[in-house]
Amino acid sequence: MCIRDSLKLGRTRESAGYCELVLKILDGERHPHEVARAYNQLGVVQYEESNYSQSLINLQRALVLREQAGDAMGVARSYNNLSLTYRSLGRLAEAERCLQRSLEVKVKEGDTRGVAITQLNLGLLAIDQGNYAQARRSAAECLHVARRYHHRQMEAEAHGLLGEAAMGEGRYDEARDLLLRDLEICRASSHETERLATLRRFVGLLLKLGDHAEARRRLREATDLLATVPSRYEGAMLATFEAELLAHEGGIEDALRRLVEAGRSFASMRRFDLQLEGLARRAALCLLYTSDAADEEDSVDLGGRRI
């Protein structure tokens, strides 16, 4: 079994082991393509595990080797992968620069499917920037190519991007339909990483719609999937949503604990923007908690209740 096969089966640690073995055996000067491929794949594994800082190091090593070897398409893929890592670190300007560089190479080389993938990632970046119209345009282009080449996993990701854009624009019914279609394609194509991401999106949408029972059910489905598709980012986001559900159900102390756990995860990933959002949620819950306590102070022994 090869490195990529292991990764496709969700065996990220097995895939990383193959990469590390290749890097021990082969010399980069004599075997630049093979070593670059190993560095790239190791960076992808680390990205999937939300180990973004180490992923960045290995993806940059792959890029240098590919540039030295004159591997144009390898360079394009490296820039694309680097952009994903920069985006996860919140470094959006660097992410956009890498995507534009990747797009230039792919257009020059006539790589239609590669262009669609980069457009998809530009769309995800547009979501982060609040540019939902651009996100929809990128998703539409990607969806056209996916259907042309019968690429089901790309089709799922395009639906996910369209769903996120619809959510951002407040078109929640449309977003629900798009995300359900995304999940359907993910199951049919065994695209587990996208299924996890879309379950997280869907839980967030259901909370906005006030459907807490369905949100709880989808949260359990996503949490179960984390066992086979590990992701610190998705785990921390799901913990944040669980905190919202717990607060709705009256479990304020448990909600606060989950927000603390999520905040630690975001900090370890250097996602300080999300950590700050979590602190704001904790502050709001603390105010709610102390307000409830004040209302009950005259008639209830609060005993061991603590913030």
Side-chain angles (χ1 to χ4, degrees):
M1 181 178 294
C2 70
I3 295 170
R4 187 167 297 181
D5 290 334
S6 297
L7 188 57
K8 285 181 177 179
L9 290 171
R11 300 173 183 173
T12 54
R13 281 295 88 210
E14 183 177 318
S15 180
Y18 281 125
C19 293
E20 289 160 357
L21 181 60
V22 169
L23 294 173
K24 286 180 181 178
I25 294 172
L26 298 183
D27 176 77
E29 291 186 4
R30 297 180 62 186
H31 304 279
H33 296 287
E34 292 79 3
V35 172
R37 190 178 302 115
Y39 273 130
N40 181 76
Q41 205 68 20
L42 186 57
V44 170
V45 169
Q46 290 159 340
Y47 171 83
E48 296 289 352
E49 295 177 339
S50 303
N51 186 359
Y52 301 127
S53 57
Q54 194 59 47
S55 172
L56 199 61
I57 291 170
N58 285 311
L59 291 174
Q60 287 171 333
R61 287 169 175 166
L63 174 61
V64 169
L65 285 169
R66 285 170 165 173
E67 287 179 330
Q68 291 174 347
D71 180 3
M73 290 310 301
V75 166
R77 287 190 293 272
S78 287
Y79 273 120
N80 188 78
N81 292 340
L82 278 166
S83 74
L84 298 177
T85 306
Y86 279 127
R87 175 175 174 258
S88 296
L89 288 167
R91 295 161 62 174
L92 302 187
E94 289 162 291
E96 186 170 9
R97 177 181 61 81
C98 287
L99 283 174
Q100 292 296 346
R101 183 71 184 97
S102 178
L103 190 63
E104 289 170 10
V105 176
K106 289 175 179 178
V107 169
K108 182 178 179 180
E109 297 293 320
D111 180 13
T112 304
R113 290 176 60 181
V115 167
I117 291 169
T118 302
Q119 285 289 355
L120 179 72
N121 291 327
L122 282 166
L124 292 169
L125 192 62
I127 292 287
D128 293 341
Q129 297 166 332
N131 190 348
Y132 303 117
Q134 179 57 51
R136 282 189 281 105
R137 286 193 292 271
S138 295
E141 182 169 340
C142 182
L143 187 59
H144 172 74
V145 174
R147 287 172 172 166
R148 176 182 172 186
Y149 289 96
H150 308 289
H151 197 302
R152 298 286 280 165
Q153 293 192 349
M154 187 188 295
E155 184 180 354
E157 292 173 16
H159 276 89
L161 177 55
L162 286 168
E164 280 207 72
M167 282 179 62
E169 294 172 330
R171 295 180 286 111
Y172 295 145
D173 289 340
E174 180 183 347
R176 185 182 188 123
D177 291 342
L178 287 163
L179 294 179
L180 285 172
R181 179 59 178 155
D182 183 1
L183 289 172
E184 180 183 333
I185 299 170
C186 284
R187 291 191 189 92
S189 60
S190 301
H191 196 355
E192 297 296 75
T193 54
E194 173 66 10
R195 184 161 76 94
L196 178 60
T198 297
L199 282 169
R200 180 255 305 158
R201 294 168 177 143
F202 199 36
V203 171
L205 174 61
L206 291 166
L207 289 172
K208 288 180 183 293
L209 293 171
D211 190 346
H212 294 91
E214 181 65 7
R216 172 62 74 180
R217 187 177 77 81
R218 293 293 185 170
L219 178 65
R220 284 196 295 268
E221 183 181 349
T223 302
D224 290 343
L225 188 56
L226 271 174
T228 54
V229 187
S231 169
R232 284 190 295 160
Y233 172 79
E234 298 295 356
M237 289 298 297
L238 292 172
T240 300
F241 290 146
E242 185 180 10
E244 187 171 339
L245 282 167
L246 287 166
H248 173 77
E249 295 160 359
I252 303 296
E253 290 186 3
D254 289 336
L256 286 169
R257 278 193 289 270
R258 292 299 280 151
L259 285 175
V260 169
E261 292 167 4
R264 288 172 180 161
S265 292
F266 288 134
S268 71
M269 292 182 277
R270 303 185 67 79
R271 288 303 306 267
F272 301 123
D273 55 331
L274 296 174
Q275 185 187 20
L276 286 172
E277 287 181 17
L279 287 171
R281 290 190 178 94
R282 284 166 61 188
L285 281 180
C286 285
L287 287 172
L288 175 63
Y289 189 70
T290 53
S291 174
D292 288 346
D295 290 342
E296 298 170 359
E297 188 173 3
D298 292 337
S299 59
V300 178
D301 179 8
L302 300 180
R305 288 180 67 177
R306 296 287 184 273
I307 295 175

